[in-house]
Amino acid sequence: MLEALRGLGYAPATALADLIDNSIAANAREVAIHLEWAAQDSWVRIIDNGDGMDDAALEEGMRLGARDPRAERAVSDLGRFGLGLKTASFSQARRLTVASRQKGGSIACLRWDLDLIDQVSGAEWPLFEGPASGSEPLLEPLAWMEHGTIVLWERLDRIVTDGFTVTDMIELADRIEAHLAMTFHRLIECRQTGVRLLLNGREVKPWDPYLMGHPGKAFESPEYRILHTTGVMLQCHVLPHRDMLKPSEQVAAAGPGGWVQQEGFYVYRNRRLLLAGSWLGLGDGGRPWPRDEAHRLARIRLDIPNSADAEWKINILKSTASAPVRLRSQLHRLAFETREVARRVFAHRGHIQPAGETRSNAVAEVWQVRRSAQGTSYRINRDHVLVASILNRAGPLRSDILALLRLIEETVPVQRIWLDTAEDKETPRTGFSEAVESEVMETLSSMFEALVMFRGLSPAEARERLGRTPPFDRHINLISALEVKHT
């Protein structure tokens, strides 16, 4: 059974996160992880300053399935199955040693050794007292602590495999740090009540998936309480477009998995992240939403209580979740709205209409999108003020201009734009984003003249309407300088 449990699918980072859960549940304020490279003798040690355990509690904790997952737990408890310490440890190492002490008590130490289980004849319970020979110095820090626990992994056969080198260990430490910074970010960012995590002596800094407080954020909803359930809260976020982020902010905001992999729901239990980046199977027409570039800025924080583990189908690894059927319509509506905002931010490179602002008095858009059973087509709006003004004054050239517009419509390089967007992971630059002011002014002047001379607006009305029209609404200083040149 133990050998079979090793194949549950833990990665080193997720296994360590399970042990940190135990430390937090034991009221630890500091957890120090150390990865030591020594070829086949490499080891991993986790030290916490939590409440610790006496002999009886340690023996209970070293049992498999020591707790009934159906039993009621404290609301702050991060565990469920009573398997985490053992299965997480065995997934990476063949020898697990745990030493612990309570305040005022003596040190208790027990050890699992998978290589020795078959060799202890007649033993009802193949646990060993004390550390393995030669490993005693690795547990010495506990002698200087009032209370706490040390977990020691040795014989790291799932980590130190053939070809694994010190460079691989360094890279592994980096991946572990990124995972812990994400998984426990809400628990370590609060200095008053949070926990301090150390990896090889360096403090783990929290990774904020939502860029809280960033002035370029497009959308941050109130915190919603999900109906027909207890204790489920949700908040929607749309991150700033990368044009509004510094290079260092772009790299940090992408997260461990990259922009696309990090989009979607972030499911937390007691502020501990369980699932990072998933649309929870939600979608339209029976098809789940994919994670794609157009919605990569959408991130939704979802908090569930630990009493809802079974209902949300939280697995042993704390890496999957499934929304209850009766809640899916609420989650779908909020996720759909968030995705739509994220899509607009992506398409317009962050320059979208602020919430609550109207553009009813803006100039009509040049391009019209038409959707039918045959597909989507893009047409130039013949009623656009500048287009209509030119056609009205075209005389014998009118038919040629209409033919040119039709040619442009039928030869829009849609496939090339789609491929460039997919390869560059960004929409092409439009909206005069690369143009100098003189070029913008040329187009603005023609628009202004058409509104005044062709539509009959006053100069003030024309300036106001242009000021509400993308992309000219980003050039208010140029609009204010517009004057009628022809009478």
Side-chain angles (χ1 to χ4, degrees):
M1 182 181 69
L2 290 172
E3 293 292 347
L5 287 174
R6 304 193 76 201
L8 280 175
Y10 281 99
T14 55
L16 286 168
D18 250 16
L19 301 192
I20 294 172
D21 289 342
N22 293 340
S23 298
I24 294 173
N27 301 311
R29 296 299 300 274
E30 181 174 293
V31 183
I33 301 167
H34 186 86
L35 283 68
E36 181 69 18
W37 167 253
Q40 295 302 314
D41 295 324
S42 299
W43 50 267
V44 176
R45 182 177 64 191
I46 304 94
I47 303 176
D48 74 53
N49 62 355
D51 296 336
M53 295 173 281
D54 59 17
D55 280 307
L58 177 57
E59 183 167 350
E60 182 75 7
M62 291 289 268
R63 287 177 53 200
L64 293 168
R67 301 167 62 186
D68 187 336
R70 299 165 297 179
E72 187 174 343
R73 297 168 297 162
V75 294
S76 59
D77 195 354
L78 298 178
R80 165 64 68 183
F81 297 96
L83 290 171
L85 169 64
K86 286 75 65 175
T87 55
S89 299
F90 295 150
S91 72
Q92 310 301 314
R94 297 193 66 81
R95 181 190 290 164
L96 164 65
T97 307
V98 180
S100 189
R101 76 185 309 172
Q102 293 182 331
K103 188 174 183 180
S106 58
I107 295 176
C109 183
L110 291 175
R111 168 171 46 100
W112 277 101
D113 195 323
L114 300 187
D115 293 329
L116 299 180
I117 286 179
D118 313 7
Q119 301 177 19
V120 184
S121 59
E124 294 182 0
W125 191 240
L127 270 174
F128 297 90
E129 294 274 357
S133 177
S135 299
E136 296 86 353
L138 302 181
L139 303 178
E140 285 182 355
L142 191 58
W144 311 106
M145 299 168 59
E146 273 193 296
H147 50 83
T149 299
I150 294 180
V151 177
L152 178 64
W153 293 349
E154 297 174 287
R155 297 182 183 167
L156 310 176
D157 65 323
R158 296 294 178 91
I159 296 177
V160 183
T161 55
D162 289 342
F164 193 91
T165 67
V166 63
T167 301
D168 297 308
M169 183 67 90
I170 294 170
E171 292 176 355
L172 174 62
D174 290 339
R175 292 195 298 273
I176 290 171
E177 181 176 12
H179 181 78
L180 299 183
M182 176 177 69
T183 302
F184 297 100
H185 76 96
R186 293 173 69 187
L187 292 166
I188 61 181
E189 63 192 1
C190 180
R191 289 297 183 188
Q192 288 72 34
T193 60
V195 63
R196 184 169 179 253
L197 300 183
L198 300 171
L199 180 61
N200 287 356
R202 183 173 64 183
E203 186 169 2
V204 176
K205 303 296 184 183
W207 176 68
D208 174 15
Y210 315 110
L211 292 184
M212 299 297 290
H214 194 286
K217 277 186 75 172
F219 178 60
E220 183 175 312
S221 78
E223 193 171 39
Y224 299 112
R225 184 180 298 277
I226 302 301
L227 303 177
H228 314 304
T229 188
T230 302
V232 179
M233 306 293 293
L234 182 146
Q235 187 177 39
C236 306
H237 301 263
V238 175
L239 272 58
H241 188 275
R242 74 177 187 183
D243 286 359
M244 298 184 176
L245 297 174
K246 300 174 184 176
S248 60
E249 291 176 328
Q250 292 181 29
V251 173
W259 282 99
V260 173
Q261 292 302 313
Q262 300 289 174
E263 75 179 61
F265 284 94
Y266 285 63
V267 182
Y268 297 83
R269 184 181 64 190
N270 293 335
R271 297 187 297 162
R272 192 269 201 203
L273 183 62
L274 301 177
L275 180 64
S278 167
W279 290 114
L280 300 179
L282 300 175
D284 297 309
R287 299 178 60 184
W289 290 322
R291 288 184 288 191
D292 55 24
E293 295 291 341
H295 302 97
R296 69 183 189 183
L297 302 177
R299 295 177 182 175
I300 302 175
R301 195 194 82 202
L302 179 65
D303 285 282
I304 66 172
N306 66 6
S307 58
D309 282 7
E311 187 177 34
W312 284 80
K313 298 180 176 63
I314 306 301
N315 68 348
I316 291 177
L317 275 63
K318 303 171 191 170
S319 61
T320 63
S322 179
V325 173
R326 72 177 190 281
L327 307 182
R328 293 176 73 85
S329 61
Q330 295 180 72
L331 299 178
H332 181 280
R333 177 178 59 81
L334 293 168
F336 180 83
E337 294 171 358
T338 305
R339 283 168 57 88
E340 285 298 294
V341 175
R343 188 171 181 270
R344 295 203 306 272
V345 174
F346 178 80
H348 298 286
R349 306 187 72 92
H351 298 282
I352 64 171
Q353 177 184 5
E357 183 178 310
T358 178
R359 284 181 175 159
S360 59
N361 203 32
V363 176
E365 293 187 2
V366 178
W367 285 96
Q368 294 178 321
V369 181
R370 298 178 180 175
R371 293 183 173 87
S372 66
Q374 288 71 42
T376 303
S377 62
Y378 302 88
R379 295 288 181 258
I380 295 174
N381 183 6
R382 305 305 195 265
D383 293 326
H384 183 272
V385 60
L386 185 56
V387 176
S389 172
I390 291 172
L391 290 174
N392 186 62
R393 294 180 280 115
L397 291 177
R398 178 183 173 86
S399 60
D400 290 334
I401 294 174
L402 288 171
L404 176 61
L405 296 180
R406 185 67 175 165
L407 177 64
I408 292 172
E409 292 170 343
E410 295 298 334
T411 58
V412 174
V414 175
Q415 293 295 333
R416 179 56 188 268
I417 293 171
W418 183 85
L419 286 171
D420 288 344
T421 300
E423 291 172 359
D424 298 341
K425 296 181 173 52
E426 197 52 78
T427 52
R429 290 189 173 273
T430 57
F432 297 98
S433 60
E434 301 293 332
V436 297
E437 284 194 349
S438 59
E439 295 175 353
V440 181
M441 195 63 176
E442 288 178 6
T443 306
L444 267 174
S445 297
S446 297
M447 293 271 290
F448 181 71
E449 294 283 338
L451 287 169
V452 174
M453 306 302 295
F454 180 68
R455 294 291 194 209
L457 300 182
S458 69
E461 291 172 328
R463 283 191 288 268
E464 180 188 4
R465 188 162 293 191
L466 287 172
R468 294 175 176 269
T469 304
F472 305 112
D473 53 356
R474 296 179 236 162
H475 303 278
I476 300 299
N477 59 321
L478 299 181
I479 292 173
S480 62
L482 290 169
E483 296 291 345
V484 178
K485 297 178 181 178
H486 306 288
T487 58

